[in-house]
Amino acid sequence: MSLLPLAAPAALFLSALLFLTEGALASRKAPSLRKIHLPLFSLLLLLSLVPLLFSAPESLFHGQFLWDSLSRCSGLLLGFSALSAMLLLPGYSRKSEVPGAETAALLFLGNLALLLLSSTTHLLTALLALEAFSFITVLLGGILRDRRSSEGAMKTFFLGLTASLFSLFGLALLFGATGKADIASLVSLSPSPLLKAGLLLFLFSFLFKFAMAPLHSWAPDLYQVAPAPLGAYLSTAPKVGIALFLLRLSPALTPLLPFLGAFVIVTVLWGNLCALRQEDLRRLAAYSSVAHSGYMALALLLPSPFRGNALLFYLTVYVIMNLSLFQALSLLPEGPELSPSLENLKGWGKDEPWIAGFLAFALLSLAGFPPTPGFLAKAILFLPALEKGLFLPVGAALLGTLISVAAYFRLFAPIYFSSGSTLKGGDRRGRALLALSSLLLLVLTLWPKGLTLLIKEVFSHV
Amino acid sequence: MRGHALLFLLAFPFFAAALVLLFPQKRRSLTILLSFLLSLLPFGAALRLFFLFPEGSTAPFREISLPWLDPGVSFHLAVDSLSLPLILLTTLLLPITLLASWKSPGEGIKGFLSSLFLLEGALLGVFLSQNALLFYLFWEAVLIPMYFLIGKWGGERRTGAARKFLLYTMAGSVPLLAGILWSFSLYGRGSFEIALWTSAPLLPAALQKILFLLFLSAFAVKLPLFPFHTWLPDAHTEAPTAGSVFLAAVLLKMGVYGFLRLAVPLFPEAVLSFRPALIALALIGVVYGALTAFAQEDMKRLVAYSSVSHMGLIFLGLLTLTPEGYVGGLLQSVNHGLSTGALFLCVGLLYERTHTRLQREYGGTAKAMPAFNLLFLVFLLSSAGLPGLNGFTGEFPIFWALFLKSPWLAGAALTGTVVGAVYLLSLYKRVMTGPEKSLESGTRLLDLSPRELLLLLPLLLLVVWIGLYPSLLTKKMAPPSYIAPFLKEYRLPGGIR
Amino acid sequence: MIPLVPALVVGSLGFLLGLTILFVKRGPLMILVGAEFALNSINLLFVAFSRLHKSPLGDAVVLFTIALAAVEVAIALALIFHLYRRLKIKALEELEELKG
């Protein structure tokens, strides 16, 4: 057992400690983001990625953790998401209320928890990692500490607590039925009713954090009150960690596929329907991310080689396009009682043609319009699903896609068809980041084969 | 490889769409002139293809196939006798509509021109694609520029109309996507190549029916078939002139093209079993469209409803599944594009002068605008199907095919044409003849400027040319090899043909 | 040595009771108490199953759960204090601004 694979989590943890110390030592009066935070954060994050990328695949702690290329993907996507959040903060309209050091520390801890979640093969470790992340969710979501963000954080906390109680109870049942709690032995056992019930209850917390309807109600509240840059993180990073863990768990989920299918159907329909009637942009984005969770969960119903390919492709594309969306939204001004609504987008097309263009591209991709990567991701997902005969979930997903087009296109009317801009100045860094995400989407549009090859490479080492 | 001509034809509009954005914003006329010149290039390329295309050929021409995506999605382009006339029509209309947009969209002219080029590119993509997923990709891509053309540069209720257009077409094309993906797995050849699907043994009848309905939902909305037509009057009326022209002339033909390219060759048994219902719906469309058009006060709405009626007739002709019906339907598709496009342009020219489209606001326009009068009359008569003009050459084979199938059917469809003649002539009477209304309001209507003549004359030329010599097109419109086996000749009892 | 079945019964009942408190009570503190109650009942189950399967895993879970509960209480109390002292909110029903 080499210690190299441990270097990445250790680096993440130490960085978090460093920032926490810095935050504790800094003066109480000005908690805001300081110049030093950003370069330090980026440097430390990149440093933590180095051992992650260059260590050989390995199994650690008696197989509790699998340090393979899937974990590496997870680390990269999580890093991109956290970096994007941190880079957006200086341009954020309420940056003076966001404590920079604590945010950085929480982002590091969040990445650590999710990295462990996506690398573990043991249900107990997974649950602990998820719980750790759910605390971080609450703290990041409520970091502004005004009335609304405290409300969002409180709701998320108590709902999450309930969900995790169910999961823990499920784990107890699983353990009682089998005496084991690692994925490999769950797969090898024949499913008893107790095992099934335990597994289903165990999944509760994961589906909750993954924002699958009807367990999604926290997501719109939290995304609405979280600062937009942190919303970008909270809507992408947990999906990465949880999706990849569910992918590892998926061989054991075979007896639960009908339940998962039902969750998928409800999620894609309900998420998109709710997105259709939102005026608040961040609630709209939240419901869109709920719906996308449904599509990703559909990938879990597929047979083996397709499952991973479709899920990883969708996940990567989702992270990029959703970050684009939130990067654009974080250019909008916010206040304690004000979160940006459709009205605030008026006149973007004329005054900010580039920003509007990038946002439009991300929206088209989210809506799954060909030839954007969002479409390819759906095609790669629906094709094997149809071959496997999953007509009901695919039908629901297609219907959901149709509804989502209506939902996303509601943004085009204010952007392009009316005038009057509320966007002033804005931050260069945020714009550059948005341009970068759009560029990535464009590359994926023109050369999707690159990503499929990469994914093939990933699974050849798992 | 000789297929590079097609690659140029497809890529150039997209290139031009980007290039237009670099033109100077301030110098509006120069920008439009330059894009007009750019738009002549694809037309020239299409014209060259048309002349090179062998007469009576039923095979794909100038094929080119580039690998693109796994699994089985290649960038496979070709022209055949089905797509050739539609490609010609699309590329011809772009320069004309660009000339027609000299004044109309007030602001953001570059975006407008760029959208038109994007629209042309996407439409050409639909007609050129030989790969089902590529076809779908362009099919959807048509939506976006059209959505912006209506929503940004349209009339007063443009946002609602754009939304309605988007939702109807999406509601049709999502099932199409499901159908294409499902067909991919059913044919089991690991490929989206249409040629591979058409050469495979037919699917079981029950599956054919389900898939046919999935495909049809997209084509029926575009066509539009009777209950799915309600987006059309709104979209046509609210769109700017250029948008209306493209909608009527080319976008509706996507439904015809898709039906012939995919539905007939892949699901012939399903087509046969659903044929009575489809014929009934198309017939309702013919009569209902004509009657509703009769009741319209807004000229653009009138032309829009006349489109519903004409498209119903075209679909009826295709549904006979006879060589006559096929040729008539395809020829009439082109004719309808030319004459309805011309009518929308004419209404647009009037609207630019008076800012109203209501018939009652006009009267005696013929005196003020004699040149316009002549052109407008010719286009109206062509749309009404007067012998000697192009409308007749398309309608006649359709009615012949319908008559051979069932005289009753032909009779019923004929009522649509009769009512059509009535409302078109009544439009002429109310707008062009009588006392001069414009004098009362104090504004003098100016006759056509050289630019406006230039944009209408090519259409006039074609309307007359095809009217007198339809073989110009029909000799290159032999049913392609994937449709020909499903066209059956009817004979009258007694051997008369 | 406590027999298995009563331990399971008590654990499950405790879990249900905790959940009931969680769903019925309105004050955030009482909800927290309910959650703790449910959590510790689950701990009882784990210990019982650990004996049944002669596996140390259940005992390990209990240790982790206790740590987890401590963090949970810390965060919950911080939130509740913040709501109560700064924003003068006592019952969760008063949180009603976010909807849709």
PDB file of all heavy atoms in Angstrom, chain B residues 4 9 16 20 32 44 48 95 98 120 135 148 164 205 294 300 307 318 333 374 387 396 442 447 450 472:
ATOM      1  N   HIS B   4     -17.982  17.174 -52.322  1.00  0.00           N
ATOM      2  CA  HIS B   4     -17.598  18.391 -51.624  1.00  0.00           C
ATOM      3  C   HIS B   4     -18.512  19.561 -51.932  1.00  0.00           C
ATOM      4  O   HIS B   4     -18.639  20.472 -51.128  1.00  0.00           O
ATOM      5  CB  HIS B   4     -16.146  18.743 -51.964  1.00  0.00           C
ATOM      6  CG  HIS B   4     -15.190  17.895 -51.202  1.00  0.00           C
ATOM      7  ND1 HIS B   4     -13.875  17.759 -51.515  1.00  0.00           N
ATOM      8  CD2 HIS B   4     -15.389  17.119 -50.120  1.00  0.00           C
ATOM      9  CE1 HIS B   4     -13.295  16.941 -50.673  1.00  0.00           C
ATOM     10  NE2 HIS B   4     -14.200  16.538 -49.822  1.00  0.00           N
ATOM     11  N   LEU B   9     -22.249  23.559 -49.899  1.00  0.00           N
ATOM     12  CA  LEU B   9     -23.625  24.048 -49.870  1.00  0.00           C
ATOM     13  C   LEU B   9     -24.139  24.092 -48.440  1.00  0.00           C
ATOM     14  O   LEU B   9     -24.836  25.025 -48.035  1.00  0.00           O
ATOM     15  CB  LEU B   9     -24.503  23.112 -50.709  1.00  0.00           C
ATOM     16  CG  LEU B   9     -25.933  23.531 -50.963  1.00  0.00           C
ATOM     17  CD1 LEU B   9     -25.965  24.834 -51.697  1.00  0.00           C
ATOM     18  CD2 LEU B   9     -26.655  22.462 -51.751  1.00  0.00           C
ATOM     19  N   ALA B  16     -21.550  32.018 -43.469  1.00  0.00           N
ATOM     20  CA  ALA B  16     -22.061  33.348 -43.780  1.00  0.00           C
ATOM     21  C   ALA B  16     -22.766  33.947 -42.562  1.00  0.00           C
ATOM     22  O   ALA B  16     -22.657  35.145 -42.301  1.00  0.00           O
ATOM     23  CB  ALA B  16     -23.025  33.281 -44.960  1.00  0.00           C
ATOM     24  N   VAL B  20     -21.674  37.567 -41.312  1.00  0.00           N
ATOM     25  CA  VAL B  20     -22.586  38.710 -41.305  1.00  0.00           C
ATOM     26  C   VAL B  20     -22.425  39.515 -40.021  1.00  0.00           C
ATOM     27  O   VAL B  20     -22.515  40.739 -40.024  1.00  0.00           O
ATOM     28  CB  VAL B  20     -24.036  38.206 -41.467  1.00  0.00           C
ATOM     29  CG1 VAL B  20     -25.019  39.288 -41.092  1.00  0.00           C
ATOM     30  CG2 VAL B  20     -24.280  37.762 -42.877  1.00  0.00           C
ATOM     31  N   ILE B  32     -26.793  44.664 -45.890  1.00  0.00           N
ATOM     32  CA  ILE B  32     -27.790  43.830 -46.574  1.00  0.00           C
ATOM     33  C   ILE B  32     -27.300  43.457 -47.968  1.00  0.00           C
ATOM     34  O   ILE B  32     -27.446  42.310 -48.404  1.00  0.00           O
ATOM     35  CB  ILE B  32     -29.143  44.566 -46.641  1.00  0.00           C
ATOM     36  CG1 ILE B  32     -29.648  44.816 -45.223  1.00  0.00           C
ATOM     37  CG2 ILE B  32     -30.151  43.767 -47.422  1.00  0.00           C
ATOM     38  CD1 ILE B  32     -30.964  45.503 -45.175  1.00  0.00           C
ATOM     39  N   GLY B  44     -26.214  29.596 -56.415  1.00  0.00           N
ATOM     40  CA  GLY B  44     -25.454  29.170 -57.577  1.00  0.00           C
ATOM     41  C   GLY B  44     -25.053  27.706 -57.466  1.00  0.00           C
ATOM     42  O   GLY B  44     -25.183  26.933 -58.426  1.00  0.00           O
ATOM     43  N   ARG B  48     -26.196  24.743 -59.974  1.00  0.00           N
ATOM     44  CA  ARG B  48     -25.237  23.890 -60.666  1.00  0.00           C
ATOM     45  C   ARG B  48     -25.589  22.418 -60.437  1.00  0.00           C
ATOM     46  O   ARG B  48     -25.600  21.614 -61.362  1.00  0.00           O
ATOM     47  CB  ARG B  48     -23.840  24.199 -60.130  1.00  0.00           C
ATOM     48  CG  ARG B  48     -22.757  23.475 -60.872  1.00  0.00           C
ATOM     49  CD  ARG B  48     -21.396  24.072 -60.628  1.00  0.00           C
ATOM     50  NE  ARG B  48     -20.391  23.143 -61.113  1.00  0.00           N
ATOM     51  CZ  ARG B  48     -19.870  22.177 -60.367  1.00  0.00           C
ATOM     52  NH1 ARG B  48     -20.243  22.037 -59.112  1.00  0.00           N
ATOM     53  NH2 ARG B  48     -18.973  21.350 -60.868  1.00  0.00           N
ATOM     54  N   PRO B  95     -31.893  34.853 -51.181  1.00  0.00           N
ATOM     55  CA  PRO B  95     -31.582  36.179 -51.722  1.00  0.00           C
ATOM     56  C   PRO B  95     -32.828  37.053 -51.850  1.00  0.00           C
ATOM     57  O   PRO B  95     -32.775  38.251 -51.585  1.00  0.00           O
ATOM     58  CB  PRO B  95     -30.983  35.883 -53.102  1.00  0.00           C
ATOM     59  CG  PRO B  95     -30.892  34.426 -53.249  1.00  0.00           C
ATOM     60  CD  PRO B  95     -31.408  33.771 -52.032  1.00  0.00           C
ATOM     61  N   LEU B  98     -33.830  38.396 -48.520  1.00  0.00           N
ATOM     62  CA  LEU B  98     -32.870  39.392 -48.036  1.00  0.00           C
ATOM     63  C   LEU B  98     -33.152  40.736 -48.683  1.00  0.00           C
ATOM     64  O   LEU B  98     -33.134  41.783 -48.026  1.00  0.00           O
ATOM     65  CB  LEU B  98     -31.441  38.942 -48.351  1.00  0.00           C
ATOM     66  CG  LEU B  98     -30.902  37.824 -47.471  1.00  0.00           C
ATOM     67  CD1 LEU B  98     -29.505  37.430 -47.899  1.00  0.00           C
ATOM     68  CD2 LEU B  98     -30.897  38.253 -46.025  1.00  0.00           C
ATOM     69  N   GLU B 120     -31.373  28.941 -43.357  1.00  0.00           N
ATOM     70  CA  GLU B 120     -31.097  28.294 -44.640  1.00  0.00           C
ATOM     71  C   GLU B 120     -30.201  27.068 -44.433  1.00  0.00           C
ATOM     72  O   GLU B 120     -30.465  25.989 -44.964  1.00  0.00           O
ATOM     73  CB  GLU B 120     -30.415  29.270 -45.600  1.00  0.00           C
ATOM     74  CG  GLU B 120     -30.178  28.639 -46.967  1.00  0.00           C
ATOM     75  CD  GLU B 120     -29.272  29.466 -47.860  1.00  0.00           C
ATOM     76  OE1 GLU B 120     -28.335  30.106 -47.336  1.00  0.00           O
ATOM     77  OE2 GLU B 120     -29.502  29.465 -49.081  1.00  0.00           O
ATOM     78  N   PHE B 135     -30.364  14.045 -39.568  1.00  0.00           N
ATOM     79  CA  PHE B 135     -31.621  14.620 -40.025  1.00  0.00           C
ATOM     80  C   PHE B 135     -32.355  15.273 -38.858  1.00  0.00           C
ATOM     81  O   PHE B 135     -32.783  16.424 -38.925  1.00  0.00           O
ATOM     82  CB  PHE B 135     -32.470  13.496 -40.640  1.00  0.00           C
ATOM     83  CG  PHE B 135     -33.890  13.875 -40.968  1.00  0.00           C
ATOM     84  CD1 PHE B 135     -34.203  14.493 -42.166  1.00  0.00           C
ATOM     85  CD2 PHE B 135     -34.916  13.578 -40.090  1.00  0.00           C
ATOM     86  CE1 PHE B 135     -35.511  14.834 -42.467  1.00  0.00           C
ATOM     87  CE2 PHE B 135     -36.225  13.913 -40.376  1.00  0.00           C
ATOM     88  CZ  PHE B 135     -36.515  14.539 -41.582  1.00  0.00           C
ATOM     89  N   PHE B 148     -36.362  32.844 -33.125  1.00  0.00           N
ATOM     90  CA  PHE B 148     -35.873  34.212 -32.934  1.00  0.00           C
ATOM     91  C   PHE B 148     -36.429  35.150 -33.986  1.00  0.00           C
ATOM     92  O   PHE B 148     -36.742  36.301 -33.691  1.00  0.00           O
ATOM     93  CB  PHE B 148     -34.344  34.234 -32.941  1.00  0.00           C
ATOM     94  CG  PHE B 148     -33.773  33.801 -31.636  1.00  0.00           C
ATOM     95  CD1 PHE B 148     -33.219  32.548 -31.484  1.00  0.00           C
ATOM     96  CD2 PHE B 148     -33.835  34.632 -30.542  1.00  0.00           C
ATOM     97  CE1 PHE B 148     -32.724  32.135 -30.259  1.00  0.00           C
ATOM     98  CE2 PHE B 148     -33.348  34.233 -29.321  1.00  0.00           C
ATOM     99  CZ  PHE B 148     -32.787  32.981 -29.176  1.00  0.00           C
ATOM    100  N   LYS B 164     -45.699  29.587 -29.095  1.00  0.00           N
ATOM    101  CA  LYS B 164     -46.620  28.586 -29.609  1.00  0.00           C
ATOM    102  C   LYS B 164     -45.954  27.757 -30.708  1.00  0.00           C
ATOM    103  O   LYS B 164     -46.048  26.529 -30.720  1.00  0.00           O
ATOM    104  CB  LYS B 164     -47.848  29.304 -30.173  1.00  0.00           C
ATOM    105  CG  LYS B 164     -49.087  28.467 -30.282  1.00  0.00           C
ATOM    106  CD  LYS B 164     -50.262  29.369 -30.554  1.00  0.00           C
ATOM    107  CE  LYS B 164     -51.525  28.584 -30.764  1.00  0.00           C
ATOM    108  NZ  LYS B 164     -52.653  29.462 -31.129  1.00  0.00           N
ATOM    109  N   ALA B 205     -45.992  -5.368 -38.560  1.00  0.00           N
ATOM    110  CA  ALA B 205     -46.984  -4.324 -38.811  1.00  0.00           C
ATOM    111  C   ALA B 205     -47.320  -3.535 -37.548  1.00  0.00           C
ATOM    112  O   ALA B 205     -47.463  -2.314 -37.593  1.00  0.00           O
ATOM    113  CB  ALA B 205     -48.240  -4.938 -39.407  1.00  0.00           C
ATOM    114  N   PHE B 294     -61.395  32.407 -46.177  1.00  0.00           N
ATOM    115  CA  PHE B 294     -62.449  33.253 -46.727  1.00  0.00           C
ATOM    116  C   PHE B 294     -62.893  34.298 -45.706  1.00  0.00           C
ATOM    117  O   PHE B 294     -63.241  35.428 -46.052  1.00  0.00           O
ATOM    118  CB  PHE B 294     -63.615  32.354 -47.127  1.00  0.00           C
ATOM    119  CG  PHE B 294     -64.580  33.018 -48.051  1.00  0.00           C
ATOM    120  CD1 PHE B 294     -64.131  33.945 -48.986  1.00  0.00           C
ATOM    121  CD2 PHE B 294     -65.929  32.714 -48.000  1.00  0.00           C
ATOM    122  CE1 PHE B 294     -65.020  34.551 -49.847  1.00  0.00           C
ATOM    123  CE2 PHE B 294     -66.809  33.321 -48.860  1.00  0.00           C
ATOM    124  CZ  PHE B 294     -66.361  34.247 -49.795  1.00  0.00           C
ATOM    125  N   LYS B 300     -52.440  38.665 -44.203  1.00  0.00           N
ATOM    126  CA  LYS B 300     -51.437  37.642 -43.904  1.00  0.00           C
ATOM    127  C   LYS B 300     -52.095  36.378 -43.358  1.00  0.00           C
ATOM    128  O   LYS B 300     -51.717  35.260 -43.702  1.00  0.00           O
ATOM    129  CB  LYS B 300     -50.434  38.182 -42.887  1.00  0.00           C
ATOM    130  CG  LYS B 300     -49.039  38.327 -43.443  1.00  0.00           C
ATOM    131  CD  LYS B 300     -48.115  38.823 -42.373  1.00  0.00           C
ATOM    132  CE  LYS B 300     -46.685  38.505 -42.717  1.00  0.00           C
ATOM    133  NZ  LYS B 300     -45.776  39.020 -41.709  1.00  0.00           N
ATOM    134  N   SER B 307     -52.610  28.475 -46.968  1.00  0.00           N
ATOM    135  CA  SER B 307     -51.542  27.484 -46.909  1.00  0.00           C
ATOM    136  C   SER B 307     -52.046  26.175 -46.318  1.00  0.00           C
ATOM    137  O   SER B 307     -51.703  25.098 -46.795  1.00  0.00           O
ATOM    138  CB  SER B 307     -50.398  27.980 -46.041  1.00  0.00           C
ATOM    139  OG  SER B 307     -49.534  28.779 -46.760  1.00  0.00           O
ATOM    140  N   LEU B 318     -50.110  13.025 -52.137  1.00  0.00           N
ATOM    141  CA  LEU B 318     -49.086  12.059 -51.742  1.00  0.00           C
ATOM    142  C   LEU B 318     -49.722  10.786 -51.199  1.00  0.00           C
ATOM    143  O   LEU B 318     -49.221   9.687 -51.401  1.00  0.00           O
ATOM    144  CB  LEU B 318     -48.176  12.666 -50.679  1.00  0.00           C
ATOM    145  CG  LEU B 318     -47.403  13.911 -51.111  1.00  0.00           C
ATOM    146  CD1 LEU B 318     -46.611  14.463 -49.943  1.00  0.00           C
ATOM    147  CD2 LEU B 318     -46.476  13.582 -52.267  1.00  0.00           C
ATOM    148  N   SER B 333     -45.629  21.271 -54.078  1.00  0.00           N
ATOM    149  CA  SER B 333     -44.879  21.781 -52.927  1.00  0.00           C
ATOM    150  C   SER B 333     -44.010  22.948 -53.362  1.00  0.00           C
ATOM    151  O   SER B 333     -43.948  23.976 -52.685  1.00  0.00           O
ATOM    152  CB  SER B 333     -43.991  20.697 -52.328  1.00  0.00           C
ATOM    153  OG  SER B 333     -44.770  19.664 -51.819  1.00  0.00           O
ATOM    154  N   LEU B 374     -50.231  44.094 -61.448  1.00  0.00           N
ATOM    155  CA  LEU B 374     -50.062  42.986 -62.385  1.00  0.00           C
ATOM    156  C   LEU B 374     -49.422  41.774 -61.687  1.00  0.00           C
ATOM    157  O   LEU B 374     -49.919  40.645 -61.766  1.00  0.00           O
ATOM    158  CB  LEU B 374     -49.176  43.453 -63.545  1.00  0.00           C
ATOM    159  CG  LEU B 374     -48.901  42.355 -64.577  1.00  0.00           C
ATOM    160  CD1 LEU B 374     -50.172  42.053 -65.337  1.00  0.00           C
ATOM    161  CD2 LEU B 374     -47.768  42.739 -65.486  1.00  0.00           C
ATOM    162  N   PRO B 387     -54.997  27.589 -65.173  1.00  0.00           N
ATOM    163  CA  PRO B 387     -54.177  26.893 -66.172  1.00  0.00           C
ATOM    164  C   PRO B 387     -53.250  27.877 -66.867  1.00  0.00           C
ATOM    165  O   PRO B 387     -53.629  29.012 -67.130  1.00  0.00           O
ATOM    166  CB  PRO B 387     -55.207  26.330 -67.155  1.00  0.00           C
ATOM    167  CG  PRO B 387     -56.465  26.249 -66.383  1.00  0.00           C
ATOM    168  CD  PRO B 387     -56.426  27.351 -65.374  1.00  0.00           C
ATOM    169  N   PHE B 396     -53.192  19.677 -61.133  1.00  0.00           N
ATOM    170  CA  PHE B 396     -53.825  18.775 -62.080  1.00  0.00           C
ATOM    171  C   PHE B 396     -53.457  17.308 -61.847  1.00  0.00           C
ATOM    172  O   PHE B 396     -54.348  16.462 -61.705  1.00  0.00           O
ATOM    173  CB  PHE B 396     -53.493  19.192 -63.524  1.00  0.00           C
ATOM    174  CG  PHE B 396     -54.186  18.336 -64.545  1.00  0.00           C
ATOM    175  CD1 PHE B 396     -55.556  18.458 -64.730  1.00  0.00           C
ATOM    176  CD2 PHE B 396     -53.491  17.365 -65.252  1.00  0.00           C
ATOM    177  CE1 PHE B 396     -56.203  17.643 -65.642  1.00  0.00           C
ATOM    178  CE2 PHE B 396     -54.145  16.542 -66.155  1.00  0.00           C
ATOM    179  CZ  PHE B 396     -55.506  16.694 -66.344  1.00  0.00           C
ATOM    180  N   GLY B 442     -54.795  60.573 -47.484  1.00  0.00           N
ATOM    181  CA  GLY B 442     -53.828  61.615 -47.802  1.00  0.00           C
ATOM    182  C   GLY B 442     -52.450  61.102 -48.158  1.00  0.00           C
ATOM    183  O   GLY B 442     -51.600  61.864 -48.586  1.00  0.00           O
ATOM    184  N   ASP B 447     -45.465  53.125 -56.332  1.00  0.00           N
ATOM    185  CA  ASP B 447     -45.380  51.840 -57.021  1.00  0.00           C
ATOM    186  C   ASP B 447     -44.042  51.176 -56.689  1.00  0.00           C
ATOM    187  O   ASP B 447     -43.209  51.727 -55.981  1.00  0.00           O
ATOM    188  CB  ASP B 447     -45.526  52.051 -58.525  1.00  0.00           C
ATOM    189  CG  ASP B 447     -46.024  50.776 -59.188  1.00  0.00           C
ATOM    190  OD1 ASP B 447     -46.200  49.782 -58.465  1.00  0.00           O
ATOM    191  OD2 ASP B 447     -46.241  50.777 -60.405  1.00  0.00           O
ATOM    192  N   PRO B 450     -37.252  49.712 -58.143  1.00  0.00           N
ATOM    193  CA  PRO B 450     -36.493  48.703 -58.904  1.00  0.00           C
ATOM    194  C   PRO B 450     -36.108  47.509 -58.043  1.00  0.00           C
ATOM    195  O   PRO B 450     -36.162  46.361 -58.497  1.00  0.00           O
ATOM    196  CB  PRO B 450     -35.262  49.480 -59.368  1.00  0.00           C
ATOM    197  CG  PRO B 450     -35.675  50.908 -59.351  1.00  0.00           C
ATOM    198  CD  PRO B 450     -36.727  51.060 -58.308  1.00  0.00           C
ATOM    199  N   LEU B 472     -39.546  21.109 -66.873  1.00  0.00           N
ATOM    200  CA  LEU B 472     -38.323  21.714 -66.364  1.00  0.00           C
ATOM    201  C   LEU B 472     -37.957  21.071 -65.024  1.00  0.00           C
ATOM    202  O   LEU B 472     -36.799  20.716 -64.794  1.00  0.00           O
ATOM    203  CB  LEU B 472     -38.565  23.215 -66.179  1.00  0.00           C
ATOM    204  CG  LEU B 472     -37.495  23.988 -65.433  1.00  0.00           C
ATOM    205  CD1 LEU B 472     -36.287  24.168 -66.308  1.00  0.00           C
ATOM    206  CD2 LEU B 472     -38.021  25.333 -64.960  1.00  0.00           C
TER     207      LEU B 472
END
